[in-house]
Amino acid sequence: MKLSERIGLIKPSATLAVSTKCKQLNAQGIRIINLSAGEPDFDTPENIKQAAIEAINNGFTKYTAVGGIDALKEAIVKKFRQDNNIEYGKENICVSDGAKHTLFNLFQVLLDKGDEVILPAPYWVSYEAGIRYAGANPIIVPTAPTGYKILPEALEEKITSRTKMVVLNSPSNPVGSAYSKAEIEKLTECALKHNLFIVSDEIYEKIVYDGFKPVSPASLSDEAKRKTLTVNGVSKTYSMTGWRIGWVGADSEIVKAMTKLQSQSTSNPCSIAQAAAVEALNGSQKSVEIMVDAFKERRDYFYNELKNIKGINCFKPNGAFYLFPDISGLYGRRFNGRKISSSIDFANLLIDEAKVASVPGIGFGDDNSLRFSYAASMEDIKEAVESIKSVVSQLE
Ligand SMILES: Cc1ncc(COP(=O)(O)O)c(C=O)c1O
């Protein structure tokens, strides 16, 4: 079958592939503790579900405006003003079917063949695919040696006449590292000096610990606002991954182009999910607090256990719900003759022998590490920790 050259440029999502394998094993009756998921294990809050039920009962079940209903755009404008100190108008907002879709749209409307996009690694899997699918080249900058954050010097060094954009994700998936205000200021200054677009993916901004305060590049100046695309959504904050609502705040010309693309592809995001997202943003935020407290307790436990395993080094995250331990200290060792030389080897060993699913770091551009999600019950995390320790202790 001759498929397009374009589709050959991308691979299936590594994270979704592990989740699928996990589900298959579970279906065969093999119990796997799934620490590979990229979604909160909490239910969508009741008030949000009720808003969706009301929308259905009121017949709010037809096409809507392509870039989202006014009520949702207004809620997003208010959210940007209150939480991020950014003054966007409705003309600066486009709502899509999840932030992944938002990112896909924005790469499509801003990038041309041969353009370069600076992508700090480890990175969330879909940035690379989205950039490549638009014909552009990701310029990958490893950040493990600098605390999992790109330094302004490293950014500057990678900029060429083809560089169009830099992608920042704070707090990050897969590490949970997050940039301070001073760091965001310096990176923004460097990007603006070279006339780059900044894609600021802030989807984990509410899932932060120890009083960390995220800062949006677009809040820094009018120029920064003009060149920044601020991406967010309801998936992680409100445990609404299945509802598929994400959005961008950006210059109105970019928003118009993204809306045009959407008008010819998916049309509007689901009307019912939009009504639910309005309630998520405007309603009580208590459920977010409860979820973040639970994540913090799990982070503290899991991090303290992992960092004490010999051969494993772990970064303590400021946000999101992942740990990304460096396991390269175990490379070269064997389990029953089975040699561990890569993140895929170790992730497979953990599935087979510890019955724990993780995501190999190679999928995020870092083959020295694994991603564990702690969006799982404390009992599961405790059991996983004991199994991981047992497998590591048997390495020769
Ligand atoms: C960093 C990051 N950005 C964006 C997304 C996309 O989220 P959604 O498409 O569910 O809104 C994810 C989901 O895993 C993510 O981790």
Side-chain angles (χ1 to χ4, degrees):
M1 180 85 64
K2 175 85 180 78
L3 302 176
S4 72
E5 278 175 31
R6 225 170 34 257
I7 193 66
L9 295 173
I10 62 170
K11 295 183 268 208
S13 160
T15 45
L16 295 184
V18 181
S19 294
T20 307
K21 182 169 176 183
C22 229
K23 280 181 193 141
Q24 281 165 353
L25 288 168
N26 281 334
Q28 290 166 28
I30 302 168
R31 184 175 168 262
I32 302 288
I33 302 173
N34 188 2
L35 303 186
S36 74
E39 60 185 350
D41 54 319
F42 294 83
D43 196 7
T44 301
E46 200 49 42
N47 60 317
I48 300 175
K49 292 200 281 191
Q50 282 309 322
I53 291 165
E54 258 170 53
I56 296 173
N57 288 339
N58 292 338
F60 192 62
T61 52
K62 303 287 167 59
Y63 292 133
T64 72
V66 170
I69 55 174
D70 270 356
L72 181 52
K73 286 190 178 179
E74 278 155 17
I76 294 168
V77 163
K78 185 170 93 188
K79 178 247 171 292
F80 272 130
R81 182 182 307 126
Q82 288 178 351
D83 296 348
N84 310 105
N85 197 24
I86 312 172
E87 280 298 331
Y88 286 128
K90 281 189 285 185
E91 70 284 6
N92 300 112
I93 309 296
C94 178
V95 184
S96 301
D97 299 291
K100 188 185 269 192
H101 184 211
T102 299
L103 287 156
F104 185 88
N105 283 348
L106 73 86
F107 292 138
Q108 288 292 322
V109 308
L110 287 176
L111 299 176
D112 280 315
K113 197 167 186 319
D115 282 345
E116 293 176 356
V117 179
I118 297 180
L119 184 57
Y123 47 78
W124 176 55
V125 288
S126 296
Y127 300 135
E128 190 195 358
I131 293 163
R132 286 195 194 281
Y133 201 71
N137 298 319
I139 304 299
I140 291 163
V141 183
T143 63
T146 51
Y148 293 101
K149 293 189 249 188
I150 187 169
L151 300 181
E153 304 85 88
L155 174 60
E156 182 102 40
E157 199 185 297
K158 293 289 176 188
I159 296 172
T160 70
S161 58
R162 305 265 13 200
T163 312
K164 189 91 185 262
M165 177 187 283
V166 56
V167 177
L168 298 178
N169 174 211
S170 177
S172 83
N173 177 3
V175 180
S177 54
Y179 292 94
S180 68
K181 181 161 193 259
E183 289 164 337
I184 288 286
E185 281 171 351
K186 288 208 183 88
L187 289 167
T188 303
E189 188 185 311
C190 175
L192 295 182
K193 188 169 105 190
H194 294 279
N195 199 26
L196 307 187
F197 286 107
I198 302 169
V199 171
S200 179
D201 181 345
E202 304 180 1
I203 197 134
Y204 294 101
E205 73 169 339
K206 297 279 176 153
I207 305 173
V208 285
Y209 312 113
D210 311 321
F212 184 85
K213 295 247 178 310
V215 171
S216 303
S219 69
L220 297 179
S221 65
D222 285 346
E223 195 194 356
K225 187 174 134 188
R226 202 172 55 77
K227 293 294 287 187
T228 301
L229 294 100
T230 313
V231 176
N232 214 322
V234 293
S235 282
K236 317 288 176 176
T237 308
Y238 303 102
S239 206
M240 290 177 71
T241 47
W243 299 73
R244 313 309 303 132
I245 295 288
W247 57 80
V248 72
D251 182 89
S252 60
E253 202 184 325
I254 299 173
V255 163
K256 254 190 216 147
M258 290 173 68
T259 310
K260 178 169 74 173
L261 174 61
Q262 192 159 297
S263 77
Q264 296 290 13
S265 54
T266 57
S267 299
N268 58 277
C270 167
S271 60
I272 301 151
Q274 288 188 70
V278 171
E279 173 61 22
L281 291 174
N282 289 344
S284 163
Q285 302 295 303
K286 188 75 197 151
S287 58
V288 183
E289 225 177 277
I290 293 169
M291 185 176 74
V292 174
D293 285 349
F295 282 149
K296 185 188 175 310
E297 193 189 339
R298 300 169 192 180
R299 177 203 64 162
D300 289 347
Y301 168 78
F302 202 2
Y303 164 75
N304 284 325
E305 292 294 327
L306 279 186
K307 85 169 175 1
N308 287 327
I309 300 178
K310 207 159 165 255
I312 296 185
N313 268 314
C314 197
F315 175 87
K316 190 173 186 184
N318 307 91
F321 40 76
Y322 309 106
L323 290 176
F324 197 66
D326 182 321
I327 42 119
S328 60
L330 303 173
Y331 290 178
R333 295 177 63 187
R334 289 169 194 274
F335 185 97
N336 279 342
R338 178 173 171 177
K339 191 168 172 196
I340 307 302
S341 311
S342 68
S343 59
I344 292 182
D345 289 348
F346 195 61
N348 281 334
L349 181 72
L350 288 187
I351 282 224
D352 296 340
E353 301 295 337
K355 304 286 180 259
V356 173
S358 58
V359 186
I362 187 82
F364 306 100
D366 181 341
D367 200 21
N368 288 332
S369 300
L370 288 187
R371 190 191 77 178
F372 292 112
S373 160
Y374 48 87
S377 71
M378 200 61 166
E379 297 85 78
D380 278 0
I381 295 170
K382 284 188 172 159
E383 199 181 331
V385 162
E386 292 315 313
S387 301
I388 296 165
K389 279 186 186 166
S390 161
V391 164
V392 172
S393 72
Q394 293 174 66
L395 291 174
E396 292 145 18

